[in-house]
Amino acid sequence: MSKSASISSDGLRSWQEISQRVPDHAISPAARRNRLVRWAGWSASVFTGVVLLTLAVWAVRLGHAAPVRGAAGTLALPLGKVQFSTDGVLTEGWVLKFLKVNVGDPLDKIDVFTLRQKLLATKQVAEAQIERQRPGTLRIALKERHPILRAAVDNGLGGYQQYLIARDGTVFEPRDFPDEILNQVPWISGMPLHRASDGTGFDAMPGMSVVADFLQAARNRAPGVVTQWSVVDLSRFDPRPNAPLSLIKIPKSGDLGQLTFVAGDFLQKIDFAKQIDRLAYAAQTMRQQSALVSGYDMSVPDQVVVRLAALSAVSPARRIR
């Protein structure tokens, strides 16, 4: 049955005839734009929340997997191992005991600067590199001074304290040196050590690079002879570069007796290798009369002075030869 529309007395249609149905979509462009803006804002909020939640989960997992760092940014992990290297005699065990560092110590508590200064203060260590490495490693790399001479200093207790002298003149107390190495280093005589003004050991010895060159030349040219040198006499040694005359003496060199070498002379160019070669030639020449020889002097340019022993020290049979 159809519904009839009522007409008012003034001829107008009733409000009931007007459709009351709301359209499914916004009709105006402004309404459509507002709806899109609301939808975009909601979607962005949801996306941001998902991203933040994902990052939070990732951070938690990373925190469990990665090392924990201390306040200063260093690894808050225990020391697991030590990578140690040196060109000298110091051992890893001695160094760790000296530095009071132990495996298991908190790595971030190890002050590498302080440890380096402590090693350099021994003067046996010339260079030191100490650094922490991930995840729990301490790297220690040393360069040591090597002795050319050793000195005996009165300890005030009726004995002596042994010190070593390096090529650069540094005087240091031997640490962790095996006896077989120390026994190969000759003693110094005739040149005193001087206490440092700051009370930390001794002043550097001047001219030791020249002595080091001399000893190295002797080892290269006559290694068997050098092993007999227990003392190097520097009483006539002048460390000045332009010294009028500077001598190095060996008080006793086996059957060769006393040896004298020139270490500085403004009149001639010093060549230690040639002096060693001249000594070898003279010793070979005098081999049959070695009992008559008390020493050899290479301080005269291009010559060897053979010093004869006193006649009273030679038996009559030897004297005839």
Side-chain angles (χ1 to χ4, degrees):
M1 178 178 183
S2 61
K3 182 177 179 181
S4 60
S6 61
I7 300 176
S8 63
S9 59
D10 56 3
L12 299 177
R13 299 179 66 184
S14 169
W15 62 270
Q16 294 178 343
E17 296 183 6
I18 300 175
S19 175
Q20 303 297 315
R21 183 174 179 268
V22 178
D24 295 335
H25 302 285
I27 298 175
S28 67
R32 184 179 297 109
R33 184 170 58 251
N34 292 338
R35 176 175 293 183
L36 290 175
V37 170
R38 288 195 300 271
W39 182 85
W42 180 83
S43 299
S45 299
V46 172
F47 177 77
T48 302
V50 172
V51 171
L52 292 177
L53 180 61
T54 302
L55 290 176
V57 173
W58 178 79
V60 171
R61 291 181 178 179
L62 183 62
H64 286 291
V68 179
R69 294 182 178 273
T74 55
L75 295 175
L77 288 174
L79 174 60
K81 65 177 181 177
V82 176
Q83 291 182 350
F84 177 79
S85 64
T86 184
D87 64 347
V89 300
L90 293 176
T91 60
E92 177 181 332
W94 185 92
V95 170
L96 294 182
K97 182 178 180 180
F98 176 73
L99 297 178
K100 297 181 180 179
V101 172
N102 300 288
V103 172
D105 291 346
L107 194 63
D108 61 337
K109 300 297 183 181
I110 297 178
D111 187 341
V112 295
F113 177 79
T114 299
L115 298 184
R116 178 177 179 273
Q117 292 302 113
K118 188 175 181 180
L119 283 171
L120 294 177
T122 66
K123 296 186 179 181
Q124 180 171 326
V125 177
E127 298 180 20
Q129 294 181 351
I130 306 179
E131 59 181 343
R132 294 183 290 254
Q133 295 180 338
R134 298 180 181 180
T137 301
L138 185 68
R139 176 178 173 270
I140 303 175
L142 307 179
K143 288 186 178 181
E144 300 181 39
R145 289 185 171 91
H146 303 278
I148 60 169
L149 297 172
R150 51 179 170 163
V153 178
D154 187 356
N155 61 7
L157 302 174
Y160 68 90
Q161 175 66 46
Q162 185 174 201
Y163 287 87
L164 302 178
I165 305 171
R167 179 186 182 89
D168 62 357
T170 300
V171 181
F172 61 94
E173 183 179 351
R175 299 171 184 267
D176 214 24
F177 265 92
D179 289 339
E180 55 268 25
I181 294 180
L182 289 178
N183 292 337
Q184 297 175 8
V185 181
W187 296 94
I188 185 176
S189 71
M191 192 173 183
L193 277 65
H194 298 282
R195 292 282 182 181
S197 57
D198 59 2
T200 58
F202 298 90
D203 290 333
M205 301 283 287
M208 289 300 105
S209 61
V210 176
V211 179
D213 290 342
F214 161 70
L215 292 172
Q216 188 58 54
R219 291 189 183 97
N220 292 339
R221 311 295 288 190
V225 174
V226 178
T227 58
Q228 302 176 8
W229 298 355
S230 59
V231 177
V232 175
D233 182 3
L234 299 181
S235 58
R236 297 285 305 279
F237 177 73
D238 190 335
R240 294 176 299 174
N242 296 321
L245 183 63
S246 179
L247 302 178
I248 296 177
K249 293 186 175 183
I250 306 299
K252 181 64 177 177
S253 179
D255 295 339
L256 300 178
Q258 184 183 80
L259 307 179
T260 302
F261 300 89
V262 59
D265 187 346
F266 67 94
L267 293 177
Q268 61 175 313
K269 181 180 179 180
I270 304 305
D271 189 330
F272 291 124
K274 287 185 177 181
Q275 293 185 59
I276 298 296
D277 290 344
R278 293 204 305 268
L279 169 63
Y281 176 79
Q284 179 64 26
T285 302
M286 299 296 296
R287 184 169 59 87
Q288 299 298 330
Q289 293 82 28
S290 59
L292 301 175
V293 178
S294 65
Y296 296 85
D297 187 346
M298 278 63 64
S299 63
V300 179
D302 300 324
Q303 299 183 40
V304 177
V305 177
V306 180
R307 301 189 181 280
L308 300 179
L311 294 179
S312 58
V314 182
S315 64
R318 295 281 185 178
R319 204 179 307 163
I320 296 174
R321 294 184 184 178

